[in-house]
Amino acid sequence: MQNMPNNTAPAQGGYHVDLVKLIILCIVTCGIYMYYWIYKVTEFTNQDGGEYRNPTNKLLLCLFIPFYYIYWIYVTSKKIETMSAQRGVPNNDVTILAIVAYVVFSLAVPAVMQSAINKIC
């Protein structure tokens, strides 16, 4: 079996990405990596035991429907908070931080959400 790099190895079924790598890839790829990240995070948050969200559908909606990304941030942040509570990790303010980060500097949204996911993993 092929070894996965440390920064993307799933820990407890998670999706761990180094924050510096995440931001650099988003910048270098002019935001294309962020769409891959949206797919992977949607896939990861389906583990919360709640409603299943098809990652491909959510990615396409974020790509083609204006302002859907804001809704995706809200719903996904709530799912991250649920997963944190289930695993006993304190992440109560992910939704607020993600929405504020979107308003202030949209590139900070993936960093805020990935930081919470890394804590879960």
Side-chain angles (χ1 to χ4, degrees), residues 73 93-106 108-109 112:
I73 291 170
D93 54 356
V94 176
T95 304
I96 295 168
L97 285 174
I99 298 296
V100 169
Y102 179 78
V103 171
V104 175
F105 183 59
S106 64
V109 172
V112 167

Side-chain angles (χ1 to χ4, degrees), residues 45-63:
T45 56
N46 280 330
Q47 298 174 12
D48 75 338
E51 178 185 350
Y52 175 79
R53 300 180 317 148
N54 186 323
T56 304
N57 291 349
K58 298 306 172 189
L59 172 63
L60 291 173
L61 287 168
C62 285
L63 275 169

Side-chain angles (χ1 to χ4, degrees), residues 68-85:
Y68 184 81
Y69 179 60
I70 298 169
Y71 176 73
W72 180 86
I73 291 170
Y74 176 77
V75 172
T76 305
S77 296
K78 287 294 187 186
K79 288 175 94 48
I80 291 170
E81 287 178 359
T82 301
M83 292 175 76
S84 295

Side-chain angles (χ1 to χ4, degrees), residues 34-44 55-56 59 72:
M34 192 161 83
Y35 294 113
Y36 172 75
W37 178 81
I38 288 170
Y39 179 89
K40 294 301 285 183
V41 169
T42 303
E43 190 175 63
F44 170 72
T56 304
L59 172 63
W72 180 86

